[in-house]
Amino acid sequence: MAENSLKKLLMKPTLEVARGLLGCTLTTRVGGRETSGIIVETEAYHGDIDEASHCYRKRTARNEAMFGRPGTVYVYFIYGMHYCLNIVTEAEDTGAAVLIRAIEPSSGIDVMQRRRHSRKLEGLANGPGKLCKALGIDKKLLGEHILESQSIAIEMSRQFRAIDIGCSSRIGISRAQDLPWRFFINGNKWVSCCGSSRQS
DNA sequence: CACTAGATTTTCT
DNA sequence: GAAAATCTAGTGG
């Protein structure tokens, strides 16, 4: 049942998926260890109209996974040392995805601490690169499917409906900075930065 | 605290 | 050859 509604969510437009994934639980099973956390921050990327997307120019070997079925896992390597996790959206042959930017650790916390060489809970997975390291995500997961993989899964959670969602422009990009395509759970302490919509 | 620079590799120009 | 959907350590108030 829960999987069914997640499947339904994945068929929706990218921005709705970005909002809908907030509050869902992300679990990985890597190297015999299970780790999971609640998604608290996402960003939408849509290749057709979005200059910041890896798919904006054309289809290449690197961005091929973003053109796959909705729910496909797209992992890329950046800045010489970090992986980032995306969930592919939109119909096949459309290059779009949602970047998972932060989670609230919920289980396997000791494993995450060891992988990150950090004992602090805050800061364990509040950023796209940190989250991948904490969950053991790398390019081995590229092309897996979120509803079918043995190694990575997403589930909808109960408290899903009553979430207060904030949004802002995206972080770390130099083009299309005007698009308010970053979403997060308002006031949640595990968001990577600027975790509330208050203006100053 | 705030701010700056360096790490390091994949990918496309 | 340069830039990249980032993070950390280091410096100076």
Side-chain angles (χ1 to χ4, degrees):
Chain A
M1 279 308 192
E3 286 205 353
N4 243 345
S5 47
L6 180 59
K7 191 170 183 177
K8 221 187 269 180
L9 173 65
L10 290 170
M11 308 301 283
K12 293 185 177 179
T14 305
L15 294 183
E16 281 190 52
V17 179
R19 281 186 288 256
L21 284 176
L22 295 174
C24 292
T25 300
L26 171 66
T27 303
T28 61
R29 276 173 224 98
V30 175
R33 316 270 181 176
E34 182 167 309
T35 48
S36 69
I38 298 165
I39 298 170
V40 298
E41 182 180 351
T42 60
E43 283 178 3
Y45 287 87
H46 197 303
D48 290 351
I49 52 175
D50 175 10
E51 284 192 81
S53 169
H54 290 166
C55 295
Y56 182 61
R57 286 182 170 279
K58 57 184 176 183
R59 199 161 169 160
T60 64
R62 179 210 200 181
N63 62 30
E64 179 63 27
M66 280 182 77
F67 293 89
R69 300 152 56 208
T72 301
V73 173
Y74 171 51
V75 177
Y76 65 87
F77 190 66
I78 188 110
Y79 297 125
M81 58 182 75
H82 298 295
Y83 293 99
C84 294
L85 170 68
N86 294 249
I87 308 304
V88 174
T89 59
E90 307 288 344
E92 241 177 302
D93 296 324
T94 298
V98 172
L99 170 69
I100 310 298
R101 283 193 58 88
I103 61 167
E104 170 178 345
S106 53
S107 79
I109 289 174
D110 55 323
V111 178
M112 297 194 213
Q113 287 171 325
R114 228 170 299 138
R115 288 190 181 132
R116 291 263 300 117
H117 299 287
S118 167
R119 288 213 70 71
K120 291 184 191 165
L121 279 185
E122 61 271 15
L124 203 54
N126 61 339
K130 294 177 182 177
L131 162 171
C132 284
K133 191 162 189 195
L135 294 177
I137 292 168
D138 61 22
K139 276 187 131 179
K140 286 197 295 289
L141 296 183
L142 178 60
E144 297 275 302
H145 193 280
I146 214 68
L147 296 175
E148 298 161 8
S149 172
Q150 297 297 312
S151 308
I152 182 166
I154 292 181
E155 290 167 19
M156 284 189 152
S157 58
R158 295 275 159 78
Q159 64 236 13
F160 177 63
R161 37 193 108 137
I163 285 176
D164 179 16
I165 296 176
C167 86
S168 74
S169 54
R170 293 170 293 180
I171 295 181
I173 56 173
S174 54
R175 280 128 82 153
Q177 290 173 330
D178 49 317
L179 295 173
W181 283 5
R182 169 178 177 248
F183 303 97
F184 50 88
I185 298 181
N186 223 348
N188 186 287
K189 68 182 266 198
W190 305 96
V191 169
S192 65
C193 67
C194 312
S196 73
S197 305
R198 65 162 173 219
Q199 49 208 316
S200 65

